[in-house]
Amino acid sequence: NRILASRAVIAPHTTDSDVLSFSGEEACYLISGTLEIRVGDQSYALKAGDGFHLRSDLRRALCSRGD
């Protein structure tokens, strides 16, 4: 198994719809701001210090809600 760490910045009030799909898992830790993650029909609100873990083959969108 491999782990790839990366840093992403999502501009305020934008949506990043991920159309990539691959076999594996993803994890995210929110350093600052607020973020909404949509996975299928579910929506989750995150704030600094929150994180998530999910299968990489699921359709998802990240929506920056703060400044």
Side-chain angles (χ1 to χ4, degrees):
N1 293 338
R2 297 183 327 173
I3 295 175
L4 172 65
S6 62
R7 180 177 185 245
V9 176
I10 301 174
H13 307 288
T14 60
T15 298
D16 177 24
S17 295
D18 193 357
V19 294
L20 297 175
S21 179
F22 57 91
S23 178
E25 301 173 49
E26 290 182 51
C28 174
Y29 176 77
L30 189 61
I31 294 171
S32 65
T34 58
L35 187 71
E36 176 184 352
I37 181 170
R38 297 181 203 145
V39 182
D41 294 332
Q42 299 291 322
S43 180
Y44 306 92
L46 304 175
K47 63 184 181 318
D50 289 340
F52 65 87
H53 175 252
L54 52 85
R55 290 189 347 238
S56 298
D57 62 338
L58 299 174
R59 288 190 66 82
R60 61 223 171 263
L62 303 176
C63 308
S64 175
R65 297 296 183 210
D67 295 329

